[in-house]
Amino acid sequence: MSVTPVGADARPARWRAGAGRVVAGTALLTAVALLPWLSGNDPALTVLRARSADQDPTPAQLAAIREQLGLDEGPFTHLAHWLGGLPRGDAGTSWVSGEPVLPQVSTAFAVSVTLMLGALVVTIAVAALLCARTLHLGSRRRLRQGRAGTGAAVLAALPKFLLASLLATVCGVWLGWFPSQGWEGPRSMVLPALALGVPSGAMIGGLLDQSLPAAFNEPWARTWHAYGFRSGHIARHALRRTLAGVLPQLLPTVVALVGGAVAVEKIFNIPGLGRLALDAATAQDLPPLQTATLVLVLLGVVAGLLIQALRRALLGPALRDGALPTLHAPALPRRRSTRWVAGFCAVALLTLVVAGLLRDPLHVDTAARLLPPSAAHPLGTDSLGRDLLARLGHGALRTAGVAFAVTAVSTALGLLLGMAARVGAGLTEVVSTLPAVLAGLLTTAVTGPSVWGAALAVCLVGWSPYAAQTAALLEQERASGHMLAAISFGADRRYLLRRHLLPAVLPSVLRNALLRLPTTVLVLASLGFLGLGEQPPTPEWGRLLSENQPYVELAPWTVLGPACALVLLSVLAVSGTASGRGRARGREKVLSLQK
């Protein structure tokens, strides 16, 4: 872990990052090529069933498919043939349809990138709305109270596929404002872009809103205000100062929508790249799956380089010369309502869980299907007549426990790999665009479907947001003047890590982890819904949402309970740490005086 200025050894760092990209991309493509053989299933049988589900396979037919596809030659020979055709513009032909792969992937990629750009516009708009108050008050030196970020937590906890279903039903079917199915033009992009962009914008806006007070607390902001600079001018520079630390979150949050928007693409019947990759992985159709994976890897690398260049342009020469001031958040008092909100969420969540534990979550009553809330069933019943309150209560511990464990492991991995940014930069860019569903397929092929297999899959891809954030914050911290002063006074690496680097990184990374907690629950649920994770009839909040999503229009109460529970959990996690952040800022102030 180096503490030298950023520009001191830029060329070796670029070589290491480039090597990391090549190694990570090669490893991922190799793992994808091994998928049919890792799963233990006969690829010929899977392809035959994908071609004709009603046809009974015979040994002669399976042998013909193996010979036609060259399966007897093994995965590495097939991978070499596929790679050899890429320089000629030949990505092979689909094993299932027999059509060329490259036109399919190109069309799906164009659709997904267009959708991503629409979601990016919504993300920026939502993030701007969440930060507007802090920008307005901070630029006028009227920021007197800190914010807990409960609004951002509520929006970030909204399940994308549930929001997509509601938008398609209300704005598409009932009101007829926009198309609810298909991809026919710009109007078809509005609803899916909203479904994808609102939670992502809440994530980015929440992180940015928590970072802005530190920028307004810098000496230049006080001096500019005293000299009568316009508030808009001060707000723009404060936004530029803090945006550099939050900008890397755009890579895993927005760019990953190209490959990770599978559920939304299915709801709106959008022929995107994520849906193409999932269908190919399910059918073990390797040529389109490998080509889609390669496109995602290249997209991640290009987007990572662009974001890195934009960050350095925002920070300017101070980053290169080691003259970047450290951001120290002011110890703003919290509103009393923050504690009341946290207490209300805790009491409400505890009441739901305890009341649900007193009921049987597995009792099936087909005569009570999709009943609305009543005294007998306070949250209603699902499509099998099971009590939703019982399933919510019994799934609380398992849902929260697995989600917290996955978040903790992902955060720890992100911190470690972010600290080794010169080696892990390429790996972060590659993994950030990898769909969790594809990681789940690769993991399940080895471990089999289970909740811990799904948790391992999420950990394999879930660390990238924290690694990107850690690397960005550490780069800025290493470029600060007090680091060079500490080194000149003989501080060793252990002292720098304990006294300077970790205090500068941990608070922001932990806030990011808490905001992403509901997303972890939903990703685990999506893997379980596809048969890769938690298996029915085990009650689990994310699975309750996935199972009851088709009944949103007919019986909206089937998803209201688990969705509200997710929101309560997210708000409780964010609000409950507000006082802890206040104490941490007090410690940071002491450290700043020591520096």
Side-chain angles (χ1 to χ4, degrees):
M1 181 182 59
S2 174
V3 293
T4 56
V6 176
D9 52 352
R11 184 174 298 177
R14 285 196 294 267
W15 276 106
R16 295 189 191 101
R21 296 182 184 102
V22 173
V23 171
T26 303
L28 179 57
L29 289 174
T30 303
V32 169
L34 291 171
L35 178 60
W37 287 268
L38 289 174
S39 64
N41 299 324
D42 187 356
L45 178 61
T46 305
V47 171
L48 181 61
R49 287 177 175 172
R51 290 178 177 178
S52 178
D54 299 330
Q55 184 177 355
D56 293 329
T58 63
Q61 291 173 330
L62 294 176
I65 290 180
R66 292 191 190 96
E67 182 178 359
Q68 176 189 358
L69 302 180
L71 295 176
D72 293 334
E73 298 177 359
F76 296 106
T77 302
H78 165 75
L79 179 61
H81 288 327
W82 176 76
L83 290 174
L86 291 179
R88 304 190 304 269
D90 180 15
T93 58
S94 170
W95 289 358
V96 175
S97 65
E99 298 178 355
V101 168
L102 199 57
Q104 300 178 35
V105 175
S106 300
T107 303
F109 177 71
V111 171
S112 292
V113 169
T114 305
L115 180 59
M116 181 200 72
L117 294 176
L120 179 60
V121 172
V122 177
T123 298
I124 294 174
V126 173
L129 289 175
L130 289 174
C131 298
R133 175 185 175 273
T134 303
L135 279 171
H136 175 77
L137 296 179
S139 61
R140 290 164 173 79
R141 308 298 299 172
R142 289 160 50 190
L143 197 60
R144 299 289 182 265
Q145 287 183 321
R147 302 176 68 184
T150 54
V154 170
L155 293 178
L158 291 176
K160 290 184 174 68
F161 62 86
L162 179 58
L163 185 57
S165 297
L166 291 175
L167 290 173
T169 301
V170 176
C171 300
V173 178
W174 293 354
L175 301 177
W177 290 348
F178 302 100
S180 60
Q181 293 287 320
W183 188 261
E184 300 174 355
R187 295 180 71 249
S188 303
M189 184 178 63
V190 175
L191 296 182
L194 286 172
L196 294 170
V198 169
S200 299
M203 189 81 60
I204 299 297
L207 294 173
L208 192 59
D209 188 63
Q210 297 293 334
S211 302
L212 280 170
F216 289 121
N217 192 46
E218 285 192 314
W220 66 263
R222 297 193 295 269
T223 303
W224 285 14
H225 182 268
Y227 272 91
F229 279 68
R230 290 176 302 172
S231 59
H233 187 68
I234 298 175
R236 285 196 301 272
H237 280 268
L239 187 62
R240 177 178 178 177
R241 179 68 178 90
T242 55
L243 189 60
V246 179
L247 196 60
Q249 296 303 299
L250 285 176
L251 182 62
T253 302
V254 178
V255 178
L257 297 178
V258 174
V262 180
V264 175
E265 289 177 355
K266 283 197 168 187
I267 291 172
F268 290 101
N269 195 22
I270 297 174
L273 191 62
R275 185 176 175 184
L276 174 66
L278 176 62
D279 293 341
T282 304
Q284 296 191 4
D285 192 359
L286 279 189
L289 177 59
Q290 289 173 323
T291 307
T293 304
L294 178 62
V295 169
L296 291 174
V297 169
L298 295 177
L299 175 66
V301 171
V302 171
L305 292 175
L306 289 176
I307 289 176
Q308 184 180 18
L310 182 57
R311 280 189 62 253
R312 298 196 172 187
L314 288 173
L315 294 175
L319 179 66
R320 182 186 65 248
D321 298 336
L324 196 66
T326 301
L327 291 176
H328 293 289
L332 298 175
R334 295 288 171 180
R335 296 179 178 178
R336 294 183 179 180
S337 59
T338 301
R339 292 192 293 269
W340 286 104
V341 169
F344 170 79
C345 292
V347 171
L349 197 57
L350 185 62
T351 301
L352 287 174
V353 172
V354 172
L357 290 174
L358 302 177
R359 298 166 177 261
D360 184 5
L362 302 179
H363 176 68
V364 176
D365 184 3
T366 54
R369 297 176 64 250
L370 300 177
L371 290 180
S374 62
H377 304 286
L379 297 182
T381 61
D382 63 7
S383 59
L384 297 179
R386 295 174 296 190
D387 186 80
L388 286 172
L389 179 60
R391 296 183 64 75
L392 184 71
H394 283 266
L397 183 60
R398 194 176 188 88
T399 300
V402 175
F404 273 112
V406 169
T407 301
V409 172
S410 300
T411 305
L413 287 175
L415 283 169
L416 291 176
L417 292 173
M419 289 180 181
R422 294 174 180 176
V423 178
L427 181 61
T428 303
E429 295 167 358
V430 170
V431 172
S432 63
T433 51
L434 178 66
V437 173
L438 181 56
L441 289 169
L442 294 171
T443 305
T444 305
V446 179
T447 64
S450 67
V451 63
W452 297 114
L456 177 60
V458 178
C459 289
L460 290 177
V461 298
W463 56 265
S464 59
Y466 313 117
Q469 185 180 26
T470 300
L473 294 176
L474 284 179
E475 185 182 32
Q476 295 177 207
E477 185 70 10
R478 292 188 184 111
S480 60
H482 70 82
M483 287 289 292
L484 297 179
I487 294 173
S488 66
F489 278 106
D492 57 11
R493 293 185 177 184
R494 183 178 301 178
Y495 179 88
L496 294 174
L497 180 66
R498 187 176 70 254
R499 293 287 186 175
H500 297 276
L501 297 179
L502 285 181
V505 170
L506 277 179
S508 298
V509 174
L510 291 179
R511 285 197 296 270
N512 191 5
L514 291 174
L515 276 174
R516 292 182 181 274
L517 183 63
T519 304
T520 302
V521 175
L522 296 175
V523 173
L524 290 169
S526 65
L527 295 179
F529 187 67
L530 295 171
L532 305 176
E534 189 73 85
Q535 301 299 301
T538 305
E540 193 266 338
W541 290 358
R543 188 166 187 84
L544 293 182
L545 288 169
S546 300
E547 290 176 343
N548 295 308
Q549 181 265 332
Y551 308 100
V552 169
E553 184 177 357
L554 178 64
W557 57 85
T558 56
V559 297
L560 187 60
C564 289
L566 270 180
V567 170
L568 289 174
L569 179 64
S570 179
V571 174
L572 177 62
V574 173
S575 301
T577 57
S579 59
R581 287 204 302 270
R583 291 191 295 269
R585 284 170 181 165
R587 289 193 295 269
E588 289 177 7
K589 188 174 182 180
V590 174
L591 289 175
S592 66
L593 293 175
Q594 294 176 351
K595 294 172 184 178

